[in-house]
Amino acid sequence: MRHEQVLDALGAAIANGSLEPGTVLRSEDLQERFGASRTVAREVVRVLETMQLTSSKRRVGVIVREPAEWNHYDPRLIRWQLDGPARPAALATLNELRSAIEPCAARFAALRATPEERGRLGALGERLARTARARDLPAFLGFDIAFHDLLLTASRNPMFGQLSEVVAEVLTGRTGHGLMPPEPQPEAVALHAEVAAAVAAGDADRAERAMRDIVVQARDEIAALVADGGPEGE
């Protein structure tokens, strides 16, 4: 198996609890289990260690770490959790993170964005509206990711900016797992335009309020789909 295939299989098993904390993984076992070369097995273990999912101990092997020790901001870990049975808990945690960060980022973007960034945000809002009406979810997703990435970057807080990949994984997972309506809600699209207009006007309170409404609506939308027996109930 190729490196990425082994990494996804092993990482997902750890992320979703199939390989419990304390499980010992030996290079020879990984080679046999996945039909991988020694080089691939070692590289996969190295990546898992950088993600803090595992640690190595001499004469013991590679040990799966406790979830509290994992790097929960790693986009790959988020993807594995959203792809597995841990999806409901992962979505709840990620929505809490977005609720705490994105409204604040919108506030600072209204105060700190450059004229060029304000213009781009408005253009992205218009593209979101156009692709929503066309029910073009893949294109809508691309513009949605770009919108939130730009907003986090325009906050001029580098720690907020580094959460762009986290938000992108949430948005991608929501679409990929059928947690979006066939046509994005007009209210949500209008709120994105409201955020863009508030940032363009330098109105921090208005931008923060509109972004908070976006996050709350996304949370409620997912909760409603789950309650109706959507993908998370499978």
Side-chain angles (χ1 to χ4, degrees):
M1 293 178 72
R2 296 174 59 187
H3 168 268
E4 286 299 324
Q5 292 174 304
V6 178
L7 178 61
D8 282 338
L10 193 55
I14 294 172
N16 295 309
S18 298
L19 291 174
E20 298 180 348
T23 299
V24 176
L25 308 171
R26 293 182 174 83
S27 181
E28 315 83 69
D29 297 334
L30 295 179
Q31 292 173 56
E32 183 177 345
R33 177 176 176 177
F34 296 106
S37 67
R38 178 179 298 182
T39 300
V40 166
R42 286 179 175 173
E43 179 62 18
V44 166
V45 166
R46 186 192 67 77
V47 174
L48 293 175
E49 288 187 357
T50 65
M51 297 173 67
Q52 298 170 229
L53 296 182
T54 62
S55 60
S56 295
K57 188 175 290 187
R58 287 188 65 187
R59 298 191 180 90
V60 176
V62 177
I63 304 168
V64 177
R65 300 176 70 166
E66 294 289 337
E69 299 173 332
W70 299 348
N71 176 13
H72 289 280
Y73 292 102
D74 192 296
R76 289 164 298 195
L77 176 55
I78 293 170
R79 189 180 317 132
W80 295 331
Q81 290 174 323
L82 291 178
D83 285 346
R87 190 185 309 151
L91 281 169
T93 300
L94 290 161
N95 276 325
E96 288 176 5
L97 178 67
R98 292 187 66 194
S99 296
I101 299 300
E102 289 200 87
C104 193
R107 162 174 284 277
F108 289 127
L111 299 173
R112 300 168 178 169
T114 65
E116 190 266 342
E117 287 170 333
R118 296 174 200 270
R120 281 170 52 207
L121 204 63
L124 285 168
E126 292 172 3
R127 289 169 185 154
L128 283 169
R130 188 166 60 250
T131 52
R133 287 192 299 270
R135 295 192 169 198
D136 186 347
L137 287 186
F140 182 89
L141 172 63
F143 292 134
D144 202 17
I145 289 172
F147 184 97
H148 290 272
D149 173 68
L150 178 56
L151 193 78
L152 289 163
T153 301
S155 73
R156 293 294 175 274
N157 183 318
M159 298 183 78
F160 288 177
Q162 288 189 1
L163 289 174
S164 287
E165 286 187 283
V166 172
V167 174
E169 284 298 334
V170 178
L171 298 174
T172 301
R174 190 176 65 176
T175 298
H177 292 293
L179 297 172
M180 278 282 288
E183 180 179 344
Q185 295 292 338
E187 296 85 356
V189 176
L191 283 170
H192 281 75
E194 173 69 2
V195 169
V199 170
D203 190 332
D205 289 341
R206 180 181 164 199
E208 180 176 4
R209 185 167 56 250
M211 181 53 68
R212 190 171 304 283
D213 288 343
I214 287 174
V215 177
V216 168
Q217 185 177 61
R219 179 200 65 197
D220 292 347
E221 217 170 63
I222 290 171
L225 283 165
V226 173
D228 289 341
E232 263 128 309
E234 294 177 355

